[in-house]
Amino acid sequence: MQPTEVTVHKKDQGKLGESAVITQALQNGSEVFVDFGDNSKIDLILNTAQGLIRVQVKCYTPTRGGIEVYFTKSGPNYSFRYEDHQVDYFAVVNANDISQIAWLKASDVLAQYSRSCILRIEPTKNNQTSGIVWFKDYQQFPFGPLAQ
């Protein structure tokens, strides 16, 4: 019998991504506060040695060897671009392996990219290296633990 491929609803994929980020933050000594509802521009607040950090979690399935991270959001009655005064970090979760999380500093990526950027997981087919942003280069948890 062949294993059945499970399709995860987009909202559930986002919750899986959030749970992975929460787990990593707790394992690294942070306290975690969760948004109640779905109307905020931030998903989590981390209490770290560096202070309170506002986090927007993005959980994407890689395509063509990379993950395109969007800094815009839209719905039936809204459309906006995240701004660095609204969020401190984007935690980008690889939906194929939720233990893989890239931490993008919002002020850096929002100043450099208008709509999105691609985090490469695999090399390009033509082996281009110039201008590539590697997912692996942002996987280190960027905050120190709270003092006990």
Side-chain angles (χ1 to χ4, degrees):
M1 180 177 223
Q2 294 278 21
T4 304
E5 186 173 318
V6 177
T7 302
V8 177
H9 189 277
K10 194 170 185 147
K11 288 279 188 183
D12 291 334
Q13 180 174 307
K15 292 300 179 193
L16 287 169
E18 287 178 19
S19 69
V21 172
I22 290 168
T23 299
Q24 187 178 77
L26 292 172
Q27 289 174 336
N28 281 279
S30 297
E31 294 176 335
V32 180
F33 301 87
V34 180
D35 173 46
F36 185 76
D38 200 21
N39 295 323
S40 176
K41 289 186 173 69
I42 57 174
D43 294 314
L44 308 170
I45 297 175
L46 307 184
N47 190 11
T48 72
Q50 288 77 16
L52 297 177
I53 307 295
R54 299 166 297 176
V55 179
Q56 172 58 229
V57 178
K58 302 288 190 182
C59 188
Y60 295 111
T61 301
T63 56
R64 297 183 307 279
I67 294 176
E68 186 166 7
V69 183
Y70 291 92
F71 306 119
T72 58
K73 191 171 182 178
S74 60
N77 297 313
Y78 67 93
S79 178
F80 65 87
R81 178 182 184 272
Y82 291 99
E83 303 203 15
D84 62 3
H85 68 274
Q86 297 167 326
V87 61
D88 300 309
Y89 274 82
F90 292 98
V92 182
V93 181
N94 178 345
N96 288 345
D97 178 357
I98 62 171
S99 69
Q100 293 184 358
I101 303 169
W103 292 87
L104 304 178
K105 190 171 183 179
S107 59
D108 293 347
V109 294
L110 293 173
Q112 189 170 358
Y113 304 100
S114 61
R115 185 172 172 264
S116 67
C117 78
I118 296 175
L119 298 177
R120 292 295 305 175
I121 294 171
E122 300 169 0
T124 61
K125 288 183 180 181
N126 66 359
N127 293 318
Q128 175 185 340
T129 57
S130 177
I132 299 294
V133 182
W134 293 101
F135 188 96
K136 65 182 177 169
D137 291 343
Y138 295 91
Q139 286 189 267
Q140 181 70 38
F141 187 75
F143 315 109
L146 286 171
Q148 298 298 321

